[in-house]
C-alpha cells in the first residue's frame, strides 16, 4: 500500500468523496427525524377533550359507559348508576366513578318500600385537574334514590342531588350546582383553555366526547410529514447517483 509523505495510508479519491457525502446525508436524515418529531408533538399537543358529566351503569362489579342518556334510561330496582365529571375525548377514555358500584352498601340504610324502587347513585365531581378555572370540586358522595317505578335515571338523580342544570338540548351540565358555569366545553390539550362547545351525542342524547377530534395528529399533518420524508429520501438517492 502506498504511503503519503507523512506515512499515513493513502485515501482513494472515491472513498474520500463518499466520506465527505456521509456527513451532510447524516445531518439531513437527523434533521428530517427531528422535524417529524416536532410535527407529531405539535399534533399531540393540540389534542382536545371535553369537560362534562359522563354517565355510567354498574354491572355488579365494574362500571360500563351507559348507552342511553339519563333522561331516557329507566333503571330497575336495585340498579347502581354513576356520574363522573372529568375532561375526556370520548367514551373510550372517559374516567369512571372512583367508587365501586355496590348497591348493598349504598342503599343499606334505605329499606324497600311498596310502589317505589331504589336506585343507588355514585356522584363523583372528579379532581381539581379537571375542574373549571376558579372552581373546586365537591367531595365524591353516594345516595340511594327511592322513586316511582317508572322514574328515569335523571329523575332519580334529581331526587337526591338538586340543583341540576341542563342546557337547551337537555344535556346535563351540573349536579348539585357543580360546576357553576359551562356545559361540555372543549378544552385544548396544550393550554387548558376552553371554548364554548358541547360533546357529540349518541342518537338518544347521551353526551360523549366528540369522536375523531383530538387524540392524534390530523390527516393533513401526517401527509406533510410523509412529504418531508419523501423529499429527504429523494435527496439521498440523488446524492448517491452523483458519486
Amino acid at each position: 500500500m502506498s504511503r503519503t509523505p507523512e506515512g499515513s495510508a493513502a485515501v482513494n479519491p472515491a472513498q474520500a468523496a463518499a466520506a465527505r457525502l456521509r456527513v451532510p446525508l447524516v445531518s439531513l436524515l437527523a434533521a428530517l427525524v427531528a422535524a417529524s418529531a416536532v410535527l407529531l408533538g405539535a399534533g399531540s399537543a393540540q389534542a382536545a377533550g371535553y369537560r362534562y358529566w359522563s354517565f355510567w351503569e354498574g354491572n355488579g362489579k365494574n362500571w360500563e359507559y351507559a348507552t342511553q342518556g339519563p333522561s331516557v334510561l329507566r333503571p330497575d330496582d336495585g340498579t347502581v348508576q354513576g356520574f363522573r365529571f372529568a375532561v375526556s375525548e370520548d367514551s373510550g377514555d372517559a374516567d369512571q366513578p372512583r367508587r365501586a358500584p355496590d348497591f348493598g352498601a349504598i342503599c343499606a340504610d334505605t329499606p324497600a318500600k311498596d310502589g317505589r324502587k331504589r336506585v343507588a347513585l355514585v356522584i363523583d365531581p372528579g379532581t381539581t385537574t379537571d375542574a373549571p378555572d376558579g372552581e373546586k370540586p365537591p367531595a365524591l358522595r353516594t345516595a340511594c334514590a327511592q322513586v316511582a317505578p317508572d322514574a328515569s335515571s335523571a329523575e332519580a338523580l334529581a331526587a337526591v342531588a338538586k340543583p341540576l342544570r341542563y342546557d337547551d338540548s337537555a344535556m346535563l351540565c351540573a349536579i348539585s350546582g357543580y360546576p357553576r358555569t359551562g356545559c361540555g366545553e372543549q378544552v385544548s390539550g396544550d393550554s387548558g383553555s376552553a371554548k364554548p362547545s358541547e360533546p357529540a351525542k349518541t342518537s338518544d342524547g347521551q353526551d360523549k366526547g366528540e369522536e375523531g377530534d383530538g387524540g392524534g395528529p390530523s390527516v393533513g399533518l401526517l401527509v406533510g410529514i410523509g412529504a418531508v420524508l419523501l423529499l429527504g429520501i429523494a435527496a439521498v438517492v440523488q446524492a448517491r447517483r452523483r458519486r
Side-chain angles (χ1 to χ4, degrees):
M1 178 180 293
S2 61
R3 297 280 176 176
T4 63
E6 291 78 10
S8 60
V11 178
N12 185 288
Q15 292 177 336
R20 289 194 299 271
L21 183 62
R22 288 192 192 100
V23 174
L25 286 179
V26 171
S27 299
L28 174 61
L29 290 175
L32 289 172
V33 171
S36 299
V38 170
L39 289 173
L40 285 171
S44 298
Q46 293 172 1
Y50 295 87
R51 183 184 286 122
Y52 69 106
W53 282 100
S54 57
F55 180 43
W56 302 80
E57 294 183 275
N59 61 12
K61 295 182 179 180
N62 303 306
W63 291 108
E64 296 178 350
Y65 200 90
T67 58
Q68 293 180 300
S71 62
V72 176
L73 186 62
R74 298 187 183 279
D76 295 328
D77 179 71
T79 297
V80 185
Q81 300 186 324
F83 294 85
R84 172 67 191 268
F85 188 77
V87 174
S88 58
E89 294 177 35
D90 54 39
S91 60
D93 79 334
D95 292 329
Q96 300 180 4
R98 295 170 295 167
R99 182 70 59 84
D102 189 340
F103 178 84
I106 297 172
C107 288
D109 298 329
T110 305
K113 183 183 297 185
D114 290 340
R116 309 286 284 179
K117 67 180 178 183
R118 293 177 299 170
V119 179
L121 299 171
V122 175
I123 304 168
D124 185 353
T127 67
T128 54
T129 301
D130 294 322
D133 292 342
E135 294 202 51
K136 180 180 180 181
L140 180 153
R141 71 186 184 96
T142 61
C144 186
Q146 196 162 56
V147 292
D150 63 345
S152 67
S153 300
E155 290 171 324
L157 180 65
V160 297
K162 289 181 179 179
L164 304 181
R165 178 166 57 84
Y166 293 87
D167 68 1
D168 294 338
S169 61
M171 175 178 167
L172 179 62
C173 303
I175 297 176
S176 297
Y178 179 80
R180 294 190 300 270
T181 61
C183 192
E185 64 269 21
Q186 189 175 24
V187 181
S188 62
D190 53 350
S191 65
S193 61
K195 63 180 182 180
S197 182
E198 69 176 47
K201 300 180 182 180
T202 60
S203 58
D204 54 28
Q206 168 63 20
D207 56 277
K208 57 185 288 188
E210 184 176 22
E211 296 181 3
D213 179 27
S218 66
V219 174
L221 179 61
L222 293 176
V223 170
I225 292 173
V228 171
L229 292 176
L230 287 175
L231 288 174
I233 293 171
V236 171
V237 172
Q238 186 175 10
R240 286 182 178 273
R241 288 176 177 173
R242 291 175 179 173
R243 292 183 183 181

